[in-house]
Amino acid sequence: MRIDIVSLFPEFVTQVAGHGVVGRAQERGLLALHGWNPRDHAEGNYRRVDDRPFGGGPGMVMLIDPLRACLAAARAADPAPAKVIYLSPQGMPLTQAKVRELAGEPRFILLCGRYEGIDERLVAAEVDEELSIGDYVLSGGELAAAVVVDAVARLQEGALNDAESAAQDSFAADGLLDCPHYTRPVEHELGTVPEVLMSGNHAGIARWRRQQALGRTWQRRPELLDEAALSAADRKLLEAFKAENP
Ligand code: 6GU
């Protein structure tokens, strides 16, 4: 898949491909990232990309024309059609379901705003979707774009090694939080590893992990349970967890 990043700091985003899973996805040819800077499409000696907002107020608004030319250049770099996704706190929340949807696209363009935002006419004319990564304020869309790239890259077929795939199961597959994990030593001054994990009883271990995932989701993010498709066995496990953890 191909992702184009339109940003005043495109390297900020493309650098996520320098390490780890995203880097490997790129090395394996599963992902191509391309950065585009609207300043390279700005006119005049000052290569201006922003101006003061009509109506007054603080901050600057990104100009239509450098962004429009930059988007056109990004689109033209590949014949496949590309959705334009604007990262902004006004967008719909990014979810794993949305990540899965994007991961199936052959390409898309991530548009990052800085300053107070982008001239609304450019947004209306060019943007297909607006996404937010949470209810807090970032100085620009670049960190959010890096989040999208990471989440989408790891879902590309072949991006994860077997050991990493397992970690994906819980949240990605059924919208529950992950169970706790332990490694050596068994006995430590901070506590002992739950006995079932050393029992060699694979069904028992799977059951315990499922119960922990259900229980932690109930304790920390109960609203996720409304969306999760729980079996009758899940409900029993959760009731038992609740009884033990009132
Ligand atoms: Cl996508 N952009 C900005 N600038 N701030 C955010 C955000 C995005 N998501 C949460 N806060």
Side-chain angles (χ1 to χ4, degrees):
M1 105 174 309
R2 172 183 177 122
I3 306 177
D4 295 274
I5 294 115
V6 171
S7 160
L8 290 173
F9 309 101
E11 298 77 21
F12 196 127
V13 185
T14 52
Q15 273 186 19
V16 296
H19 308 276
V21 173
V22 184
R24 213 169 51 212
Q26 187 153 254
E27 281 161 21
R28 290 179 180 171
L30 307 172
L31 172 75
L33 293 182
H34 298 271
W36 302 85
N37 195 331
R39 204 172 293 281
D40 296 334
H41 301 267
E43 308 273 341
N45 282 346
Y46 295 101
R47 299 203 159 256
R48 186 164 202 153
V49 292
D50 60 344
D51 209 335
R52 289 151 60 207
F54 280 119
M60 300 291 268
V61 177
M62 291 180 74
L63 293 164
I64 294 175
D65 284 335
L67 280 176
R68 194 148 80 128
C70 191
L71 281 168
R75 277 188 203 289
D78 189 287
K83 258 192 199 171
V84 174
I85 299 168
Y86 176 34
L87 284 322
S88 109
Q90 281 69 244
M92 294 296 286
L94 180 69
T95 60
Q96 190 62 25
K98 175 55 74 177
V99 168
R100 276 194 289 269
E101 184 190 314
L102 293 176
E105 303 265 340
R107 74 175 291 212
F108 56 84
I109 299 173
L110 295 175
L111 172 59
C112 304
R114 280 260 145 188
Y115 316 112
E116 297 312 300
I118 293 179
D119 190 302
E120 191 63 25
R121 294 167 291 180
L122 184 281
V123 178
E126 299 272 7
V127 169
D128 298 295
E129 262 184 69
E130 210 164 322
L131 289 179
S132 165
I133 63 162
D135 294 335
Y136 39 80
V137 179
L138 302 172
S139 318
E142 285 77 11
L143 280 170
V147 166
V148 172
V149 168
D150 184 293
V152 162
R154 62 201 307 291
L155 293 188
Q156 299 305 299
E157 186 79 49
L160 297 182
N161 297 327
D162 287 347
E164 294 159 342
S165 305
Q168 229 185 297
D169 288 346
S170 180
F171 195 78
D174 54 25
L176 297 180
L177 303 186
D178 203 4
C179 63
H181 301 281
Y182 299 88
T183 186
R184 294 187 296 174
V186 173
E187 304 278 356
H188 188 278
E189 64 177 84
L190 296 185
T192 304
V193 175
E195 212 171 311
V196 61
L197 296 178
M198 275 110 41
S199 66
N201 172 358
H202 296 295
I205 292 168
R207 207 177 109 91
W208 180 87
R209 286 183 169 156
R210 183 73 183 172
Q211 185 175 44
Q212 290 293 314
L214 290 159
R216 296 220 296 192
T217 307
W218 169 68
Q219 286 173 323
R220 301 178 186 190
R221 299 287 306 280
E223 79 282 7
L224 295 178
L225 288 177
D226 303 336
E227 298 295 317
L230 301 190
S231 66
D234 286 335
R235 289 182 198 287
K236 269 192 158 165
L237 285 174
L238 181 54
E239 287 318 310
F241 183 96
K242 288 180 180 178
E244 284 163 32
N245 303 269

